[in-house]
Amino acid sequence: MIDTVSKIKKSHETKLEKLKKDYDDLQQKYGAQELDAIYHGGCSKNPDICFCFMNPTGRNIASRKEWKGLKSPWIGTKNVWDLFYNLKLLDEDIYQKIKSIKGSSWTEEFAEEVYDSIKRHKCFITNLAKCTQIDARPLPDDIYKEYIELFKKEIEIINPKVIILFGNQVSSLVLNEKISVSLCRRKLFIKEINKKKYHFYSVFYPVGNGRFNMDKSIEDIKWIIEDRKKM
């Protein structure tokens, strides 16, 4: 029985690892050549929530070539972790350390601690596009579309209970319809991927230019979490 569980886990991890080759190829095509692609992090086996952001930037210190640890979203940044802490999806001690140190002071070991906490809270964090840019320049739809099929494969592998899409652009591309977050707050979208139905919600983007919308993001995600408990 233990061997069977171990084989299933290994097969699951292998499937995710195979996607990284495609992400690396697209980094060479669309990302900054001096930076690495950023993949995903957290609970990768049936998470309660999958959080999907836009694309990584060079502020993520894990995108540096010399970084040999996790290549996961938001490493070495501060503001986005306010969201996870306020949702009670990040441990207090981890959050306080994030807020007290400089982004450049993150170590590969600390990044592991952060994502171990995210994993314990049954969350998975990813970006639709994995190609790292030097700064927060907007990406055209055409580049994001290159990642749609890979994102679907990612969802199939991790099999989340619910997927939170941040912002109008990501939501519109993933759901394949014009989305304005302000007009569809707390609306459930059901989309089929390889004959299985998945539950999606569109939420305000909570960082960067969308920082002023973080309270709305937190409010809606809390509502979604509570509503899911009733299902």
Side-chain angles (χ1 to χ4, degrees):
M1 180 64 179
I2 294 176
D3 286 344
T4 301
V5 173
S6 178
K7 286 180 182 177
I8 292 173
K9 182 178 179 182
K10 186 174 181 180
S11 173
H12 173 80
E13 292 173 350
T14 299
K15 288 177 181 178
L16 278 178
E17 283 295 318
K18 284 183 178 178
L19 292 181
K20 293 180 180 179
K21 172 63 168 59
D22 293 316
Y23 298 146
D24 290 341
D25 289 344
L26 288 172
Q27 174 68 26
Q28 292 301 308
K29 189 174 182 180
Y30 297 117
Q33 299 302 293
E34 67 270 32
L35 299 174
D36 283 345
I38 293 296
Y39 310 126
H40 50 250
C43 176
S44 61
K45 185 70 173 175
N46 308 125
D48 289 339
I49 309 176
C50 167
F51 293 96
C52 180
F53 293 89
M54 297 175 72
N55 63 283
T57 74
R59 286 191 61 202
N60 185 329
I61 63 173
S63 65
R64 298 172 184 171
K65 297 291 184 181
E66 63 269 23
W67 180 275
K68 303 304 179 185
L70 293 174
K71 297 284 185 178
S72 298
W74 305 111
I75 291 175
T77 69
K78 287 184 184 290
N79 293 338
V80 74
W81 301 107
D82 295 345
L83 175 87
F84 294 102
Y85 176 70
N86 281 286
L87 292 171
K88 301 188 186 323
L89 300 176
L90 183 68
D91 296 339
E92 170 82 26
D93 59 329
I94 297 291
Y95 175 70
Q96 294 302 334
K97 186 171 181 180
I98 288 173
K99 301 303 284 187
S100 67
I101 66 174
K102 294 180 179 179
S104 58
S105 296
W106 280 53
T107 62
E108 293 169 5
E109 292 73 23
F110 181 57
E112 290 276 359
E113 289 180 43
V114 172
Y115 271 94
D116 281 346
S117 179
I118 291 297
K119 186 175 182 179
R120 285 193 297 274
H121 287 89
K122 297 284 287 179
C123 296
F124 182 84
I125 304 174
T126 192
N127 290 294
L128 176 55
K130 274 68 172 178
C131 51
T132 308
Q133 307 296 316
I134 294 174
D135 51 27
R137 68 191 66 186
L139 291 181
D141 286 357
D142 287 349
I143 292 180
Y144 283 111
K145 287 177 181 178
E146 293 280 334
Y147 287 89
I148 294 293
E149 291 305 313
L150 290 171
F151 179 67
K152 289 179 180 179
K153 289 180 182 178
E154 192 175 45
I155 293 301
E156 279 189 81
I157 294 167
I158 67 170
N159 190 37
K161 293 178 182 176
V162 64
I163 300 118
I164 303 292
L165 304 171
F166 287 107
N168 295 337
Q169 188 177 21
V170 167
S171 299
S172 297
L173 290 165
V174 172
L175 298 173
N176 197 30
E177 60 181 280
K178 184 65 175 178
I179 297 293
S180 174
V181 174
S182 61
L183 299 179
C184 62
R185 294 179 68 181
R186 306 179 184 182
K187 178 182 177 180
L188 172 63
F189 294 87
I190 299 176
K191 293 293 180 181
E192 195 171 280
I193 299 174
N194 196 20
K195 299 182 180 179
K196 178 170 181 176
K197 292 180 179 179
Y198 292 91
H199 290 185
F200 294 83
Y201 289 89
S202 181
V203 174
F204 285 104
Y205 206 82
V207 288
N209 292 334
R211 174 74 178 171
F212 61 92
N213 283 321
M214 183 175 285
D215 287 347
K216 293 177 185 176
S217 302
I218 292 169
E219 179 184 323
D220 285 354
I221 296 169
K222 281 183 176 179
W223 182 91
I224 293 165
I225 291 172
E226 288 304 310
D227 191 60
R228 300 293 300 180
K229 291 178 181 178
K230 301 172 188 176
M231 292 185 177

